Amino acid sequence: MKPQGLPIEVHDLTVSYQKKPVLYGVDLEIAEGSLVGILGPNGAGKSTLIKTIMNMIKPNGGYVKIFGDAPQKGIKRIGYIPQKESVDWDFPVTVSDVVLMGRYGHHGWLSRIGQEDRNKASECLEQVNMLAYADRPIGNLSGGQQQRVFLARALAQESEVYLMDEPFAGVDAVTEKTMISILREMQKSGKTLMVVHHDLASAKEYFDQLLLLNMRKVAYGSVPEVFTHELLQKTYGGKLAVLSEMATKVAKAS
Amino acid sequence: MNLIPKFDPVRVFLEPWSTPELISWNSQVILMGLLVCWASGMIGSFIVVRRMALMGDAISHGILPGVIIAFLAFGSLDVGPMLLGACLAGLACSFSIEWLQQNSPIKKDASMAIVFTSFFALGVTLINLQTGHLDLDTDCVLYGEIGLTPLAPNITLAGNNVGNRSLWVMGLICLIIVSLICLFYRQILVTSFDATLAHSIGLPVKSIQQFLMLLLALSTVASLESVGVILVVAMLVFPSVTASFFFSRLPSILVCTFPLGIAYTFGGFHLAYWLDCSIAAAMAITATVCFIAALGLCPNSFLWKIVAHKKSPHN
């Protein structure tokens, strides 16, 4: 018998918004220590899947289990990076405030944030090369710096599973390289990561497993198994223009 | 014709404090002003950073029918029932707004406008129906009269007169708001900034939001008789918006609302004394002046840019 369930197990998950189905019959089993890329066209339900795993959206059918537990219980073991658009960048907080928020989950209702938490936050900022910006308001950062801050916050959370919604959106090439190497390190230390991604060409190098999603699960498996013309065509369907553009990119890259 | 009375510093600044009776009366007015500004400024800062400034407007109008119904049910202007009625109506208002948003295609701003105007209209109609046998008049609810604070009945505790009832209620509410915000600052901050993170660390996001609405309703109803439903929104929004020109962290903004409250109260009081106008309106005007000054003087202000532009040798 296994000591605990899989980090993430999704069974026959169906989610709809105002009677329009967004996800339909999705089954998924993510093994510990996986680095999974989630690919699919706009409106394929990628963010919805993340939100449903995090118990922000109630599914119409099926279930999610986190380490074998119901999501209400398991959610505390999940860290996440929000989609860039969902963050209010004018909010009056500094970089270190945001990273410290990652420590809140380690405290009860009335216990105070201590020096230990501050040290941890600085350490995580150092890891993403953002320590020099600790006292800056988050609104004053570039797109790449903003995403690094949220990655530092995720590191400070010290969770076992991470869900990231387009962490590479609007990020410069250097930041993207730094971030992916950090994700790799996290994976090495046994973390499980699921990352929503939008760029087919880089997905192939960045991830070990891919989930192709378009309302239904098209395919899930290791990159060589899943990253085939046929399956990608099935995922991106009618969006041929996008696909051929991607195909050329992939061809050029290889 | 003389629209603006002559400005006489001695009359404006010293006369209100010249006799013991005036000092006693006016210090109660000033204290009330400070308490209203502080309570509203604190809770308002969170409302503003959550981009819910109009929610303050909505709640302040929405509590009206609750206050009137409580009055009708209990037949008295006692504070307890009034606060209870106001809180219930405030919560009903915020629930209805949320329900409309989630269960109909109506957008947030429109659903707010629909709910709070309906509630307010109901409140006004109820007041009018009752005009015959009730000394609650619409003007007082709409504009408030902070200058009459000292007329509130005194509270006697164990036979001793401990002071003005309105001041005690407002003081208590101010204390509750300030201490709850200090105590649960972290939880309120994270739910305001990133609800998903708050949810993932196991915080009851919805309850915290409702709790903020409850505090808002409390502070609004307690401020109602002093500044009225319309100007209370100014007291909610101005302090934090003005402070945010100079500070980029929420704690600094929260602290800054205290000196601003002092400036609004004293400025408004003496302005009203000079112009012989409503103190609440004068406080809001002072707040507006402070806001414009902050807009002009803040580090990134357009004024500095113009100055720098003129000085630049390349032009």
Side-chain angles (χ1 to χ4, degrees), chain B:
Chain B
M1 205 180 106
N2 202 353
L3 189 64
I4 299 174
K6 198 170 133 284
F7 181 73
D8 174 4
V10 174
R11 197 187 82 82
V12 170
F13 292 107
L14 298 180
E15 203 181 274
W17 310 103
S18 54
T19 67
E21 291 77 29
L22 278 176
I23 290 178
S24 146
W25 180 282
N26 289 332
S27 57
Q28 290 184 60
V29 174
I30 290 277
L31 185 57
M32 188 65 175
L34 292 175
L35 292 170
V36 167
C37 285
W38 289 341
S40 315
M42 264 313 230
I43 191 76
S45 303
F46 281 99
I47 303 297
V48 169
V49 295
R50 298 174 80 113
R51 314 213 158 189
M52 289 168 84
L54 281 178
M55 199 64 184
D57 202 9
I59 297 269
S60 67
H61 287 73
I63 58 176
L64 191 57
V67 175
I68 311 301
I69 290 169
F71 176 80
L72 294 178
F74 292 89
S76 74
L77 280 167
D78 269 348
V79 199
M82 296 268 259
L83 282 181
L84 183 72
C87 289
L88 289 179
L91 285 183
C93 188
S94 88
F95 271 122
S96 318
I97 291 170
E98 210 162 292
W99 187 88
L100 263 185
Q101 237 174 288
Q102 278 165 4
N103 296 290
S104 76
I106 305 169
K107 296 280 180 299
K108 186 169 188 167
D109 48 352
S111 52
M112 268 190 203
I114 287 169
V115 171
F116 90 73
T117 48
S118 316
F119 273 59
F120 190 67
L122 179 68
V124 171
T125 315
L126 283 174
I127 295 181
N128 290 343
L129 283 177
Q130 288 303 318
T131 34
H133 30 107
L134 139 61
D135 58 345
L136 195 69
D137 70 311
T138 15
D139 275 7
C140 178
V141 173
L142 288 179
Y143 309 120
E145 192 38 82
I146 196 170
L148 300 181
T149 309
L151 287 182
N154 283 350
I155 297 181
T156 42
L157 200 71
N160 297 317
N161 186 351
V162 288
N164 187 304
R165 190 190 67 184
S166 298
L167 277 175
W168 273 104
V169 172
M170 193 65 225
L172 208 61
I173 287 177
C174 186
L175 186 72
I176 290 174
I177 289 177
V178 172
S179 49
L180 283 177
I181 286 181
C182 291
L183 212 53
F184 298 116
Y185 171 74
R186 208 156 25 91
Q187 284 80 4
I188 304 174
L189 173 73
V190 70
T191 13
S192 308
F193 178 64
D194 189 341
T196 317
L197 178 74
H199 174 85
S200 82
I201 58 180
L203 292 178
V205 175
K206 279 261 160 64
S207 310
I208 292 176
Q209 276 165 2
Q210 290 303 341
F211 162 80
L212 269 182
M213 291 301 119
L214 189 72
L215 289 187
L216 177 62
L218 264 179
S219 87
T220 310
V221 70
S223 323
L224 202 66
E225 56 180 346
S226 351
V227 293
V229 281
I230 301 172
L231 292 178
V232 73
V233 184
M235 297 304 132
L236 286 169
V237 176
F238 274 111
S240 72
V241 171
T242 308
S244 68
F245 283 120
F246 296 96
F247 300 101
S248 53
R249 286 191 73 223
L250 196 50
S252 326
I253 293 176
L254 288 174
V255 170
C256 189
T257 59
F258 286 85
L260 280 173
I262 296 172
Y264 296 171
T265 309
F266 280 95
F269 176 79
H270 289 289
L271 183 64
Y273 210 86
W274 169 31
L275 300 177
D276 193 22
C277 64
S278 143
I279 299 176
M283 280 166 71
I285 287 179
T286 315
T288 314
V289 171
C290 291
F291 168 79
I292 293 172
L295 183 70
L297 297 176
C298 75
N300 293 320
S301 137
F302 62 95
L303 273 185
W304 299 142
K305 278 177 198 153
I306 296 172
V307 173
H309 197 70
K310 283 211 174 127
K311 273 190 189 157
S312 151
H314 300 293
N315 284 293

Side-chain angles (χ1 to χ4, degrees), chain A residues 154-190:
Chain A
L155 289 168
Q157 278 189 276
E158 297 185 304
S159 311
E160 291 155 82
V161 181
Y162 286 98
L163 303 177
M164 308 186 177
D165 204 344
E166 303 242 14
F168 302 115
V171 152
D172 54 286
V174 183
T175 301
E176 194 161 324
K177 286 276 173 307
T178 323
M179 286 176 73
I180 198 72
S181 74
I182 291 172
L183 295 193
R184 283 285 176 202
E185 272 170 43
M186 291 164 83
Q187 185 200 11
K188 261 185 218 152
S189 61

Side-chain angles (χ1 to χ4, degrees), chain A residues 31-171:
Chain A
E32 202 162 347
S34 313
L35 176 53
V36 183
I38 305 177
L39 292 173
N42 288 338
K46 294 170 292 193
S47 296
T48 306
L49 177 65
I50 298 259
K51 283 183 188 147
T52 316
I53 294 175
M54 296 198 64
N55 199 26
M56 294 288 288
I57 300 173
K58 294 266 171 291
N60 302 60
Y63 63 79
V64 172
K65 279 189 173 176
I66 299 164
F67 288 110
D69 288 325
Q72 292 90 319
K73 197 175 164 217
I75 190 157
K76 292 189 179 180
R77 299 167 82 167
I78 292 187
Y80 106 113
I81 294 186
Q83 210 167 10
K84 210 177 160 202
E85 293 76 39
S86 71
V87 176
D88 177 2
W89 297 104
D90 292 325
F91 202 96
V93 282
T94 59
V95 167
S96 59
D97 289 332
V98 172
V99 180
L100 268 177
M101 283 182 203
R103 302 300 300 165
Y104 288 5
H106 296 257
H107 288 269
W109 275 84
L110 291 174
S111 75
R112 295 271 128 193
I113 292 287
Q115 192 55 45
E116 208 179 304
D117 299 300
R118 287 175 217 287
N119 293 345
K120 180 77 201 167
S122 313
E123 201 181 291
C124 297
L125 274 175
E126 177 76 72
Q127 231 177 313
V128 297
N129 287 328
M130 285 291 293
L131 193 54
Y133 298 85
D135 295 326
R136 284 257 201 120
I138 54 165
N140 283 3
L141 303 175
S142 72
Q145 291 169 331
Q146 290 175 338
Q147 291 300 67
R148 285 174 196 227
V149 171
F150 275 86
L151 183 60
R153 187 180 81 175
L155 289 168
Q157 278 189 276
E158 297 185 304
S159 311
E160 291 155 82
V161 181
Y162 286 98
L163 303 177
M164 308 186 177
D165 204 344
E166 303 242 14
F168 302 115
V171 152

